[in-house]
Amino acid sequence: MTVVVSPLIRTKKLRMTASAFAQMRSALSAGPPERGVWLLGERNDFVVRHVHFDMGARCTAATYTPDHHALNRLSVEVWEAGKLSLLGLAHSH
């Protein structure tokens, strides 16, 4: 599994709740490789509290390309509403 962390938080330690880790493990292990999830949490403590499975991603046997349209929609629904922030991405190999 690969985790990509936002450049804005590379100096911070990213942590994850047990339930978010279980969500991530379940989503990434439920199918073929190169599936992805978005790691969501609050920037005040950098704890991943929610994992969003990227169902619309373009995946091949060797690549994961996030669904940028869904990411933009999520931006309006979640981030701009002040609920959660994107802290990183994770995908399987």
Side-chain angles (χ1 to χ4, degrees):
M1 172 182 350
T2 300
V3 176
V4 178
V5 178
S6 167
L8 299 174
I9 62 170
R10 286 197 178 145
T11 59
K12 305 285 185 181
K13 184 178 276 190
L14 186 67
R15 296 176 295 144
M16 184 178 285
T17 64
S19 63
F21 182 78
Q23 288 175 351
M24 180 178 69
R25 185 179 57 206
S26 175
L28 295 180
S29 65
E34 301 301 335
R35 299 163 61 87
V37 295
W38 304 332
L39 309 175
L40 305 169
E42 297 176 16
R43 289 187 184 257
N44 63 343
D45 61 6
F46 298 99
V47 175
V48 175
R49 291 186 170 80
H50 181 72
V51 174
H52 180 82
F53 177 58
D54 188 0
M55 294 187 333
R58 288 180 308 189
C59 304
T60 70
T63 64
Y64 161 67
T65 304
D67 178 355
H68 64 278
H69 295 294
L71 197 56
N72 287 337
R73 282 191 303 277
L74 191 65
S75 166
V76 171
E77 296 168 11
V78 177
W79 305 329
E80 291 180 9
K83 297 176 184 173
L84 298 171
S85 295
L86 178 66
L87 299 179
L89 303 171
H91 73 95
S92 61
H93 287 277

